[in-house]
């Protein structure tokens, strides 16, 4: 078995003249919680977008379980066991909480995606098939009692948790999250922490982009620090926290403390 479930080499992403990501190489151990941190604009989301197939890199390659997935799109990586959430919440706000999770199952059932929006035929059967599993995912994120509510009516923190449940419906092996703690209160962050640890205990590998240092320091096995699109430092939480380069990068940025 491969120790590194994901390996990226020399990843670069340029937007015109902007070097959003420059020469990033990273190995993610199977079953670890790998976090990526850095000041605003450091290139964290762009890196996650490259890892997940949301963007293609300008240069470099991405190996998942030893297979080159560099040129596979997001929807082609999901069936291989990769899933993600977005920095800006993306839910079907008019659909119920339950239907949002059921929509996440669609990759495992060969029914047309539009049937989730306009329920018909295969969808109706599928909804019944998936309902129990969807409810147990909602239970996992503490939203089982909100199943029939409209997703858009949930408070912000609950919408973030719902996004996690929906992504989990794709049954990922590598789960990537972009700032899941943004906008969450302390109790919700604590809960998120327990969920991430729980997923790790279920054999999942987690790649977490996050500004909330309490969360990062509590869950991270490894921390990869970026600044200005480039590698700055990597190591265990204690080493990162006391590293002068990391401290300087954060002090130089506005408003974020490490
Ligand atoms: N689609 C895009 N087009 C042009 N420039 C972009 C695009 N996406 C990101 N960038 C630029 O790339 C750089 C890195 O952005 P990115 O969003 O990856 O940073 P980040 O570390 O996630 O920041 P934050 O902590 O604020 O979320 C920034 O200068 C940003 O303006
Ligand atoms: Mg970002």
């Amino acid at each position: 078995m491969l120790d590194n479930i994901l390996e990226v080499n020399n990843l670069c992403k340029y937007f015109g003249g902007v070097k959003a990501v420059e020469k990033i190489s990273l190995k993610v151990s199977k079953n670890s919680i790998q976090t990526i941190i850095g000041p605003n604009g450091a290139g964290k989301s762009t890196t996650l977008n490259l890892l997940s197939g949301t963007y293609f890199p300008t240069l470099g390659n991405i190996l998942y379980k030893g297979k080159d997935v560099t040129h596979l799109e997001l929807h082609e990586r999901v069936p291989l066991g990769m899933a993600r959430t977005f920095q800006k919440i993306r839910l079907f706000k008019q659909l119920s909480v339950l239907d949002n999770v059921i929509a996440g199952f669609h990759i495992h059932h060969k029914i047309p995606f539009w049937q989730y929006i306009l329920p018909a035929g295969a969808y109706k059967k599928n909804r019944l098939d998936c309902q129990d599993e969807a409810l147990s995912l909602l239970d996992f994120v503490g939203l089982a009692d909100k199943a029939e509510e409209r997703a858009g009516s949930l408070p912000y923190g609950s919408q973030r948790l719902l996004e996690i449940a929906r992504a989990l419906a794709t049954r990922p092996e590598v789960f990537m999250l972009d700032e899941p703690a943004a906008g969450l209160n302390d109790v919700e962050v604590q809960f998120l922490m327990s969920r991430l640890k729980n997923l790790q205990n279920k054999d999942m590998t987690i790649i977490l982009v996050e500004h909330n240092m309490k969360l990062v320091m509590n869950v991270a096995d490894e921390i990869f620090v970026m600044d200005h699109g480039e590698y700055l430092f990597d190591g265990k939480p204690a080493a990162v926290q006391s590293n002068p380069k990391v401290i300087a990068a954060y002090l130089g940025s506005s408003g974020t403390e490490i």
Side-chain angles (χ1 to χ4, degrees):
M1 191 169 51
L2 289 167
D3 288 342
N4 298 319
I5 192 161
L6 201 68
E7 191 174 326
V8 309
N9 301 299
N10 198 34
L11 269 196
C12 304
K13 180 66 180 177
Y14 306 149
F15 297 106
V18 178
K19 292 187 171 183
V21 169
E22 176 75 343
K23 295 186 183 147
I24 292 296
S25 295
L26 168 67
K27 290 181 172 138
V28 181
S29 308
K30 189 168 170 13
N31 202 208
S32 67
I33 299 186
Q34 169 76 57
T35 64
I36 302 175
I37 69 167
N40 290 116
K44 306 179 296 295
S45 291
T46 306
T47 300
L48 208 71
N49 286 336
L50 296 172
L51 296 183
S52 58
T54 312
Y55 295 160
F56 288 147
T58 310
L59 284 171
N61 62 54
I62 302 165
L63 301 177
Y64 170 64
K65 294 184 180 172
K67 173 184 155 76
D68 192 330
V69 297
T70 314
H71 300 290
L72 296 184
E73 294 193 25
L74 175 62
H75 71 269
E76 293 171 309
R77 294 188 202 189
V78 171
L80 301 180
M82 302 171 94
R84 67 163 302 172
T85 64
F86 289 86
Q87 185 165 353
K88 193 169 179 303
I89 293 175
R90 296 185 182 186
L91 290 170
F92 300 115
K93 301 221 169 178
Q94 301 303 325
L95 293 187
S96 74
V97 167
L98 183 66
D99 281 339
N100 266 273
V101 181
I102 288 174
F105 286 108
H106 86 276
I107 64 147
H108 295 290
H109 304 266
K110 297 198 177 350
I111 62 174
F113 188 69
W114 61 266
Q115 289 198 8
Y116 289 92
I117 314 296
L118 295 169
Y123 170 82
K124 286 189 178 159
K125 179 178 181 306
N126 182 241
R127 190 178 197 278
L128 288 173
D129 290 347
C130 294
Q131 200 153 299
D132 287 349
E133 206 173 336
L135 278 170
S136 74
L137 284 173
L138 284 177
D139 191 44
F140 179 73
V141 298
L143 293 175
D145 58 340
K146 305 277 191 302
E148 294 305 331
E149 290 186 20
R150 202 169 51 81
S153 73
L154 294 182
Y156 187 79
S158 302
Q159 291 194 23
R160 282 223 167 271
L161 290 166
L162 175 55
E163 249 214 336
I164 290 175
R166 191 181 56 178
L168 290 175
T170 68
R171 300 172 195 145
E173 289 177 61
V174 174
F175 188 22
M176 299 173 243
L177 303 100
D178 196 351
E179 296 201 32
L184 265 53
N185 63 36
D186 284 352
V187 176
E188 289 168 328
V189 170
Q190 204 70 39
F191 180 63
L192 175 64
M193 221 179 270
S194 77
R195 299 304 79 186
L196 295 177
K197 294 263 196 193
N198 187 297
L199 292 174
Q200 182 180 33
N201 289 337
K202 289 177 181 150
D203 250 17
M204 212 175 276
T205 305
I206 291 170
I207 304 177
L208 174 69
V209 167
E210 189 49 68
H211 274 299
N212 184 313
M213 286 305 146
K214 192 166 165 232
L215 176 61
V216 170
M217 293 302 162
N218 269 289
V219 301
D221 293 309
E222 296 290 335
I223 303 178
F224 188 90
V225 191
M226 295 180 69
D227 192 19
H228 300 295
E230 295 182 24
Y231 163 85
L232 186 68
F233 187 73
D234 66 322
K236 305 275 179 210
V240 169
Q241 216 164 5
S242 59
N243 182 270
K245 280 193 299 187
V246 177
I247 294 166
Y250 272 88
L251 289 178
S253 74
S254 56
T256 316
E257 285 178 22
I258 189 165

